[in-house]
Amino acid sequence: MQVEALNNMNNRGMVARKKISHYIPLLFIGIGLIIIGFVAIKLISYGSSSTRDYSVIPAKVSFPAPELILEDLNGNKVSLADFRQQILLINNWAIWCPPCKAEMPTLERYFMDHRDQGFALLGINAGDPLDQVSGFVNDYVITFPVLLDPHNTAMAAFNNDNLPNSYVIDRDGNVVLAWTGPINREMLEKYVTPLLEQ
């Protein structure tokens, strides 16, 4: 009797251990899925917050500014050479380009804050009609000069057909910084402001 009872207890113990061992992998899978979910949430929230302030880092370059003459919204001819002795930021943009639109308020604020330090900014619109560009300038309250470039002359001159793209020209007429992609305030302060202080 005792032997039979011990055998029954051993059998029950083995069954219980088999049931437990059956659930252990499922437990680890569940814990793993929870960890993966937590990491995914963190990455998604990090990505969404970082894209709000996303900016490419400018490349340091060195070449003479192209000879470029375009018309402003009033039909006046404007040349890059008119801005010698200033630090000039050229921003090529278009109305249909979301990152171009997103960076406009940043460019406007930076221009307003630094224009008294010898800083100039030219927004060169890539091919949009005059009435649409004028409407955009009014809607976004842009005070820096905007030039029309119906034939994409500026993009050809800088050999860059991606938008937005921006270039900084120093006081001697040399292109010293180049961006392809959006710019945030931090990058402007880090790379352009020191040029104003020289």
Side-chain angles (χ1 to χ4, degrees), residues 56 68 70 80 88-95 97 99-108 119-126 136 142 144-149 154-155 158 160 162-169 177-184 188:
V56 293
L68 194 59
L70 296 168
L80 297 190
L88 174 63
L89 189 147
I90 302 291
N91 177 253
N92 290 298
W93 65 282
I95 291 171
C97 163
C100 300
K101 292 159 91 169
E103 72 181 355
M104 279 297 166
T106 299
L107 293 173
E108 172 63 24
F119 175 71
L121 197 158
L122 288 177
I124 300 179
N125 178 267
F136 181 92
I142 295 170
F144 57 81
V146 172
L147 308 181
L148 298 172
D149 189 8
M155 292 197 296
F158 286 101
N160 188 346
N162 296 297
L163 292 175
N165 66 63
S166 300
Y167 296 87
V168 175
I169 301 171
L177 294 172
W179 275 273
T180 298
I183 304 172
N184 68 17
L188 289 168

Side-chain angles (χ1 to χ4, degrees), residues 75-144:
N76 302 312
K77 292 196 182 301
V78 178
S79 169
L80 297 190
D82 298 338
F83 296 89
R84 284 285 170 91
Q85 304 308 312
Q86 292 183 291
I87 299 297
L88 174 63
L89 189 147
I90 302 291
N91 177 253
N92 290 298
W93 65 282
I95 291 171
W96 51 262
C97 163
C100 300
K101 292 159 91 169
E103 72 181 355
M104 279 297 166
T106 299
L107 293 173
E108 172 63 24
R109 282 191 299 274
Y110 187 83
F111 170 69
M112 292 298 288
D113 291 345
H114 294 282
R115 62 185 177 170
D116 294 334
Q117 294 176 262
F119 175 71
L121 197 158
L122 288 177
I124 300 179
N125 178 267
D128 292 314
L130 170 60
D131 61 330
Q132 291 182 23
V133 176
S134 296
F136 181 92
V137 166
N138 289 333
D139 290 346
Y140 278 72
V141 194
I142 295 170
T143 60
F144 57 81

